[in-house]
Amino acid sequence: MAFASRYPDVEIPELSVPQFVLGGAAERADRPALIDGLSGETITHGELAFYVERVAAALHARGLRKGDVVAVFSPNTIWYPVVFHGIAAAGCVISPVNALYTPEEIAFQLKDSGAKVLVTVSPFLDRALAATEKSPVDEVIVMDGAEGHASLRDLITADAPAVQVDIDPAEDLITLPYSSGTTGLPKGVMLTHRNLVANVTQSRPLAGVDEGNERIIAVLPFFHIYGLTVLMNQGLQWGGAVVTLPRFDLEQFLRVVQDQKITRAFVAPPIVLALAKHPMVDQFDLSSLRSITSGAAPLDESLAQAAQDRLRKGASEGVSVGQGYGMTELSPVSHTTPEVGLEPAGAGPTPKGTVGYALPNTECRLIDPATGEDAAPGERGELWVRGPQVMKGYLNNPQATAETLDGEGWLHTGDVAIVDDEGRYTVVDRVKELIKYKGYQVAPAELEAVLLNNPQIADAAVIGVLDKESGEELPKAFVVRAPGSEISEDDIKAYMAEHVAPHKKIRLVEFIDQVPKSMAGKILRKDLKNR
Ligand code: AYL
């Protein structure tokens, strides 16, 4: 039994992402598209379209062809979307790399994705070059310039002939972000132009867009699918301005919302927590905000309510705090809470603890993991999703694809949800291995592999444990010492910190004699959780 969306279907334009997102640029050529939240530097819609065309031409002139992968390793800047759309308009595929990655993590992604070019920024050049020693690429481009490397200015001012690359939106990939999905190591998620065009189009009926006048704060990273689709591409497609910040700092965030008259904030739970609790919030005028949407990890219902109540006490009477739900494999949105007044016909206000309704064109099932059958009405089940935003599959990994995406097009999310009579979903649990730390993915299998690389460690298993105070899941390692080893908890933490990005750090260690495993050798994570 499949639940249809409560919203009527929308038509998905048959366009490439650059055509779709930049299509309105000529009409608003002189209006700001991208604003640097710190310096105020601005790129207009007209300039953006021009730069994108130039970057595409320059990449083509350098020999890049349709389907070639270009890795982008950069924090949020106003130039990131120029590079993203330039690569896409050349028919190439962007693999976005986490800005905090270590050289080893970057090298893994470069190798796995088969990236030919790496685009980065000068402060990241050391890590980029250390990575390309292990996984060579043809060229490293440094956006803001560095001795011996082409810069973005070089690309834009090169006298390359214009290119018109034929893109088949339903088949051709635009991006290859990495996700561990329900199990194992990070995998390249193949997303097509149509996946992203669809996701922005599907989200619109619930958003109540004031076309051309929205101002979106882009503090969540563009290198994650949330920032890529929801902030960058949706924000630009709405025709207003996207205001970038390179990292989250509460004071900067509040100042930018106030000074730039931000209308929409798409954030993760730690930012909602700060908005609800931090004293500094009262010192700023946040009355331009119409909505705050939290996604990427569970948001506590009372926290969402507290943030909304507090902001409404200021002048922003209309502000609503809501949630979105999705996965990298869903481009990423499948569910979201609608703006007040945009609920499906006849439905009342949306309760704060829910992730709202399935988007238009999106079907859902809830499957009892024990029986594989549809859950009884009102009962919990694993959420399956089908729609135009579902990924094409994992790169070079038909087995992982088959385990996640079934023959009928259902994506098995590994999340457990319930649906109420009105069609509103609540995410109640996770049955996959994945740990979420501040909205970022932490894949236990990846950390276990790093732990096992240490000769002092005979065996290891990683799970997430809930920290009551912060509400975060903390990655915890169960470690079996190698014979004769006296490796300590601090040694292990320090060793991991050297090899993985900060959000993947091991925060708790427990030494055990043996890792509990099934007959087939699979780690029995439940047993570890129940200890
Ligand atoms: P990935 N509540 C609970 N868990 C969530 C939620 C939520 N609102 N959103 C995401 N998750 C968890 O690939 C869930 O376990 O994509 C899911 O399988 O990094 C996993 O995070 C996917 O992690 C938005 C904004 C969707 C963000 C996103 C998700 C991007 C995270 C819609 O509006």
Side-chain angles (χ1 to χ4, degrees):
M1 188 186 52
F3 301 104
S5 170
R6 299 284 169 121
Y7 289 87
D9 277 1
V10 291
E11 199 183 319
I12 315 297
E14 296 280 333
L15 297 171
S16 72
V17 170
Q19 287 170 337
F20 174 65
V21 169
L22 309 174
E27 280 160 46
R28 37 184 171 257
D30 295 330
R31 307 196 55 186
L34 291 149
I35 301 170
D36 184 313
L38 299 181
S39 71
E41 192 185 356
T42 295
I43 298 175
T44 65
H45 284 275
E47 287 164 345
L48 175 61
F50 171 75
Y51 294 149
V52 165
E53 190 275 324
R54 287 291 81 209
V55 170
L59 293 175
H60 191 83
R62 291 169 120 76
L64 286 172
R65 291 295 176 268
K66 195 159 118 173
D68 286 344
V69 175
V70 178
V72 178
F73 175 46
S74 169
N76 286 5
T77 71
I78 57 173
W79 300 101
Y80 198 118
V82 170
V83 168
F84 176 89
H85 284 278
I87 296 167
C92 300
V93 184
I94 301 93
S95 195
V97 182
N98 188 307
L100 298 174
Y101 269 8
T102 64
E104 289 154 75
E105 292 169 311
I106 304 163
F108 171 86
Q109 189 169 333
L110 293 176
K111 198 176 296 167
D112 192 80
S113 66
K116 294 206 163 150
V117 170
L118 173 60
V119 181
T120 190
V121 291
S122 58
F124 290 7
L125 187 55
D126 286 350
R127 275 183 295 152
L129 294 178
T132 55
E133 263 173 33
K134 294 180 189 144
S135 179
V137 294
D138 296 341
E139 187 178 6
V140 177
I141 296 172
V142 181
M143 288 190 229
D144 52 332
E147 180 83 44
H149 295 273
S151 68
L152 200 47
R153 177 183 301 269
D154 295 334
L155 299 195
I156 288 169
T157 56
D159 201 11
V163 281
Q164 198 68 48
V165 180
D166 261 334
I167 289 172
D168 176 351
E171 284 303 319
D172 295 337
L173 304 187
I174 182 170
T175 187
L176 202 53
Y178 273 68
S179 165
S180 64
T182 53
T183 183
L185 296 177
K187 296 170 275 289
V189 178
M190 297 191 287
L191 299 180
T192 63
H193 285 262
R194 181 178 160 81
N195 286 147
L196 266 58
V197 170
N199 211 222
V200 172
T201 305
Q202 294 170 283
S203 298
R204 198 151 173 157
L206 288 75
V209 182
D210 181 6
E211 171 125 17
N213 297 316
E214 299 284 358
R215 296 175 71 89
I216 286 126
I217 186 161
V219 68
L220 293 195
F222 294 148
F223 60 70
H224 185 262
I225 193 67
Y226 186 1
L228 197 72
T229 297
V230 177
L231 305 182
M232 179 201 297
N233 286 319
Q234 175 172 264
L236 292 172
Q237 204 271 333
W238 286 356
V242 175
V243 184
T244 63
L245 279 172
R247 72 189 70 81
F248 179 66
D249 170 273
L250 182 61
E251 185 172 353
Q252 274 174 6
F253 177 86
L254 296 169
R255 191 172 304 287
V256 165
V257 170
Q258 169 184 277
D259 294 355
Q260 295 288 348
K261 304 224 172 336
I262 296 296
T263 60
R264 312 272 187 159
F266 296 92
V267 301
I271 298 185
V272 180
L273 179 71
L275 291 173
K277 304 248 157 104
H278 201 288
M280 195 192 283
V281 174
D282 297 324
Q283 295 164 23
F284 293 86
D285 171 8
L286 308 179
S287 60
S288 56
L289 270 178
R290 284 181 50 206
S291 71
I292 300 169
T293 306
S294 170
L299 178 68
D300 181 68
E301 180 169 3
S302 51
L303 186 66
Q305 190 64 51
Q308 180 174 300
D309 292 346
R310 182 177 193 196
L311 295 176
R312 283 190 179 181
K313 266 195 216 126
S316 51
E317 265 139 41
V319 74
S320 65
V321 175
Q323 281 199 72
Y325 162 85
M327 274 170 80
T328 308
E329 290 80 348
L330 292 168
S331 305
V333 192
S334 61
H335 292 73
T336 193
T337 55
E339 290 292 290
V340 176
L342 296 177
E343 298 84 1
T350 314
K352 286 274 175 276
T354 79
V355 297
Y357 299 90
L359 299 185
N361 311 47
T362 303
E363 297 172 276
C364 298
R365 292 179 72 180
L366 293 175
I367 302 294
D368 180 345
T371 63
E373 305 287 330
D374 288 297
E379 294 296 321
R380 53 174 59 200
E382 186 192 359
L383 176 64
W384 292 9
V385 176
R386 185 161 71 180
Q389 72 272 54
V390 172
M391 68 165 177
K392 201 169 170 182
Y394 292 116
L395 181 71
N396 299 329
N397 201 334
Q399 193 192 333
T401 303
E403 282 166 12
T404 307
L405 188 54
D406 68 26
E408 290 172 36
W410 291 103
L411 185 98
H412 301 196
T413 66
D415 292 304
V416 180
I418 51 172
V419 59
D420 68 15
D421 292 342
E422 305 252 16
R424 294 175 296 228
Y425 289 76
T426 303
V427 178
V428 293
D429 197 6
R430 204 181 287 144
V431 284
K432 54 186 165 187
E433 292 170 11
L434 180 68
I435 302 168
K436 274 280 165 129
Y437 184 76
K438 303 207 180 215
Y440 289 107
Q441 289 200 4
V442 180
E446 186 186 355
L447 298 186
E448 286 155 6
V450 180
L451 286 163
L452 290 178
N453 264 338
N454 186 320
Q456 299 212 61
I457 296 176
D459 205 358
V462 174
I463 60 166
V465 294
L466 190 68
D467 177 45
K468 286 249 168 59
E469 212 167 295
S470 62
E472 292 289 345
E473 281 176 279
L474 305 181
K476 170 172 180 177
F478 291 86
V479 171
V480 182
R481 289 192 183 99
S485 165
E486 285 177 20
I487 191 167
S488 70
E489 170 160 0
D490 286 346
D491 296 338
I492 290 172
K493 287 182 178 164
Y495 163 77
M496 292 303 287
E498 221 178 276
H499 293 276
V500 299
H503 64 278
K504 298 185 198 168
K505 276 185 192 169
I506 290 292
R507 293 177 197 265
L508 301 161
V509 177
E510 186 176 330
F511 293 99
I512 53 175
D513 296 332
Q514 205 180 1
V515 173
K517 288 186 184 160
S518 71
M519 299 285 269
K522 263 188 82 174
I523 296 172
L524 296 172
R525 293 173 202 283
K526 272 224 179 78
D527 290 6
L528 291 169
K529 288 218 172 194
N530 292 336
R531 272 169 78 103

